[in-house]
Amino acid sequence: MKVLVIGAGGREHALASKINQSSLVEKVYAIPGNEAMINVAEIHNEIAESSHQEIIDFAINNNIDWVVIGPEQPLIDGLGDLLRQQAIKVFGPGQAAAQIEGSKLFAKQLMEKYDIPTADYKEVTNRSDALTYVKTCELPVVIKKDGLAAGKGVIIAKTRDEAIKGVETLYTEEQGQLVFESFLEGEEFSLMTFVNGDYAVPFDCIAQDHKRAYDNDEGPNTGGMGAYCPVPHISEEVLHQTNERIAQPIAQAMSKEGYHFFGLLYIGAILTKEGPKVIEFNARFGDPEAQVLLTRLESDLMQHIIDLEQRQPIHFKWKDEAVVGVMLASKGYPGSYDKGYKVSGFDPDSHYFVSGLKKEGDHFVNAGGRVILAIGEGSTVKDAQAAAYNNAEKIKSDNLFYRNDIGNKAIK
């Protein structure tokens, strides 16, 4: 079969690489892809991921059997619906179901209605009400922009001044929805879940992301500075509880409400004293969690997608090794940063997934905030961590930084 991957980042690099390994797949294409993918997919960077009609025409003209949509924006914009109208199979939800990520308020209201454990919340619709609320609310408070924010629309305010500054940062005009949440204490983890309507199959291996920009979970939120799997200090019992209390109920709730979800539901969870609770849902694989999970996954991802479509049992097979991924980002990220700095010292077909590089002549330069993920594997998380940092150190650039503590929580 022929498979088209939509997207240009490290998650899509990992998806294209994994799908290319499938014995079921004849050829992988990527729109727009990136130039580090050339040995795992045919790249079509002349087409933008927002150019829906061009993507549809490409899929029809090239007899594409499946389209796998990596990023959130095309899902929110309804690309999946448009492709399905042309009888093209799509791994990724339609626009209505993708609201689970596109609107924090939609997700909170659904969880509230179906008693799915999450933080208490309050919605405000304008800047004035938000500033009034933060003068008296409990601290710390979590402030979330209602729409998509590429992982950066969340502020954890520990003081009254930080809360006021957070509101002023997220409100660029007077009107607009913010969601305030009670701060939850505990260990965070990411659970990827295959969903087809009310049929949900969580991965039996979880990952842990590192959202803050700097060591010791300091600095602003980012799209993710590194991840690892498995997470040995979070037990099978916690995974069972997360499935029973969150994964199955949210799939059933979406189905009951008429939002048919087919694709990958990301559950960003936190293990509190009361058990696992939801921090956020995403309507696609996490990045960089996808890169480490798909590296560790030994079974055939494309076969799993087909089994999901047919509501057949899905049996995951994982490598014995742990996997750690360390993100190298442009200096200044998640704020403003300079592009065009040479990046060298790596082989994109071995131990690296590219997020923000482009070719200039015969070399790569940084072209985004998050640039490249260095992967390490080992018999333990500690060994995998050492291998990942060894691969990170091979990368040469004057304008990249990375955290030095990815995976530390699993190393006692």
Side-chain angles (χ1 to χ4, degrees):
M1 69 177 71
K2 296 181 178 181
V3 179
L4 170 60
V5 175
I6 303 298
R11 165 184 48 223
E12 291 75 41
H13 190 174
L15 283 166
S17 180
K18 187 64 183 172
I19 291 167
N20 186 57
Q21 295 170 14
S22 173
S23 60
L24 303 172
V25 176
E26 172 193 345
K27 189 167 186 178
V28 181
Y29 302 83
I31 293 176
N34 70 55
E35 288 151 312
M37 295 184 193
I38 57 170
N39 291 328
V40 296
E42 183 177 298
I43 308 305
H44 286 272
N45 56 14
E46 75 279 6
I47 304 174
E49 68 182 44
S50 58
S51 299
H52 293 181
Q53 190 57 52
E54 287 185 78
I55 291 170
I56 292 165
D57 292 343
F58 181 92
I60 292 170
N61 293 336
N62 289 276
N63 299 309
I64 298 297
D65 296 289
W66 277 93
V67 177
V68 176
I69 302 177
E72 58 270 29
Q73 195 67 58
L75 296 169
I76 301 298
D77 292 343
L79 176 59
D81 299 312
L82 297 173
L83 287 161
R84 288 186 178 101
Q85 287 168 15
Q86 300 298 320
I88 298 164
K89 292 182 178 182
V90 181
F91 182 71
Q95 187 172 41
Q99 289 181 89
I100 195 76
E101 175 172 8
S103 170
K104 305 289 189 299
L105 186 59
F106 173 86
K108 296 299 282 191
Q109 289 172 340
L110 198 62
M111 286 186 278
E112 183 176 47
K113 181 174 180 178
Y114 287 90
D115 200 27
I116 295 168
T118 187
D120 293 336
Y121 75 100
K122 178 178 175 59
E123 169 205 3
V124 298
T125 58
N126 61 76
R127 183 175 179 273
S128 299
D129 287 352
L131 288 171
T132 299
Y133 177 74
V134 296
K135 289 175 183 174
T136 57
C137 70
E138 276 191 32
L139 296 173
V141 64
V142 181
I143 312 170
K144 295 183 177 181
K145 198 172 184 178
D146 188 47
L148 293 179
K152 299 187 286 288
V154 178
I155 293 171
I156 300 171
K158 297 177 182 177
T159 67
R160 203 70 61 194
D161 286 345
E162 286 178 359
I164 292 167
K165 185 179 177 183
V167 168
E168 290 172 342
T169 298
L170 294 178
Y171 268 109
T172 53
E173 50 193 42
E174 175 61 25
Q175 301 300 313
Q177 287 183 321
L178 284 189
V179 175
F180 292 93
E181 292 185 0
S182 301
F183 179 73
L184 296 176
E185 292 271 8
E187 188 94 8
E188 295 185 29
F189 61 96
S190 305
L191 177 62
M192 308 298 149
T193 305
F194 284 131
V195 176
N196 180 358
D198 60 1
Y199 177 58
V201 184
F203 283 28
D204 51 10
C205 174
I206 59 171
Q208 189 170 69
D209 188 14
H210 297 64
K211 283 290 187 190
R212 298 300 190 102
Y214 310 126
D215 289 3
N216 304 313
D217 292 330
E218 294 180 357
N221 261 20
T222 71
M225 292 299 294
Y228 67 93
C229 68
V231 185
H233 55 289
I234 292 183
S235 69
E236 288 292 327
E237 175 58 25
V238 171
L239 297 195
H240 176 74
Q241 291 173 8
T242 307
N243 181 36
E244 293 295 312
R245 300 176 189 178
I246 298 171
Q248 300 303 325
I250 194 63
Q252 291 160 13
M254 293 276 283
S255 184
K256 284 179 186 174
E257 295 292 320
Y259 301 102
H260 182 79
F261 192 108
F262 178 79
L264 193 288
L265 181 69
Y266 167 111
I267 301 171
I270 185 166
L271 179 56
T272 71
K273 290 177 181 177
E274 294 84 36
K277 295 186 178 184
V278 176
I279 297 175
E280 64 175 349
F281 291 117
N282 292 331
R284 38 73 192 180
F285 273 101
D287 179 344
E289 295 99 325
Q291 291 92 304
V292 297
L293 286 164
L294 294 177
T295 297
R296 189 167 187 255
L297 183 66
E298 203 164 51
S299 46
D300 188 326
L301 176 63
M302 203 63 231
Q303 183 65 60
H304 292 332
I305 291 172
I306 292 166
D307 289 341
L308 178 68
E309 180 202 26
Q310 298 173 354
R311 291 175 169 246
Q312 295 298 309
I314 294 173
H315 302 291
F316 299 100
K317 186 178 180 184
W318 304 95
K319 297 176 185 175
D320 292 334
E321 289 81 8
V323 181
V324 173
V326 176
M327 185 66 73
L328 287 83
S330 298
K331 289 179 181 176
Y333 175 80
S336 59
Y337 52 85
D338 293 327
K339 300 178 183 179
Y341 285 83
K342 185 177 178 180
V343 180
S344 63
F346 67 95
D347 174 0
D349 294 316
S350 175
H351 308 302
Y352 301 97
F353 292 114
V354 167
S355 298
L357 288 175
K358 71 174 184 178
K359 267 284 183 69
E360 279 193 0
D362 61 352
H363 63 267
F364 285 102
V365 299
N366 70 312
R370 293 188 301 163
V371 173
I372 185 169
L373 188 81
I375 290 283
E377 300 180 60
S379 57
T380 64
V381 173
K382 187 174 183 179
D383 290 342
Q385 182 192 57
Y389 279 107
N390 182 53
N391 288 326
E393 287 164 11
K394 292 176 182 176
I395 298 172
K396 308 302 179 190
S397 176
D398 293 333
N399 196 49
L400 299 182
F401 78 97
Y402 54 86
R403 282 181 56 161
N404 296 287
D405 60 350
I406 304 301
N408 274 5
K409 290 179 182 176
I411 300 169
K412 303 301 182 187

